Amino acid sequence: MATPSPSPSQPLSDTGSYVDWMRARQRRDRQHRPAITLRQCTGDGSEAANVHAQEQAWAERHAHERRLQASAIAQIRHEKAPA
């Protein structure tokens, strides 16, 4: 009969040795790995529009920052230009 796997929040003195706890944790990770990999590979189509909107917003902010920087550099060069 298998012993219940200890939860990470329980102290080790109540659940047994550290080795038992670590083996149970590794076993749980191995059991969940295929499901996690499947979710990461397939993705959720419902989020595609949101991701695209976030990418667009980032690109617009980045372009705005570049324009501000170019404008600031041009202004500094204009102020330092000989009269």
Side-chain angles (χ1 to χ4, degrees), residues 11-75:
L12 291 177
S13 61
D14 294 342
T15 60
S17 73
Y18 175 77
V19 174
D20 293 337
W21 175 80
M22 189 51 119
R23 285 182 181 157
R25 182 175 176 205
Q26 288 172 342
R27 189 178 319 112
R28 243 186 352 266
D29 289 347
R30 280 193 304 272
Q31 291 170 346
H32 287 53
R33 190 175 299 134
I36 292 169
T37 303
L38 181 64
R39 282 188 219 136
Q40 289 173 345
C41 291
T42 57
D44 183 5
S46 66
E47 296 178 357
N50 190 27
V51 170
H52 180 69
Q54 290 176 7
E55 288 173 346
Q56 239 180 346
W58 178 88
E60 290 172 5
R61 281 193 310 269
H62 186 65
H64 181 68
E65 290 171 0
R66 291 180 70 192
R67 285 192 301 269
L68 287 175
Q69 183 181 14
S71 175
I73 290 172
Q75 184 178 0

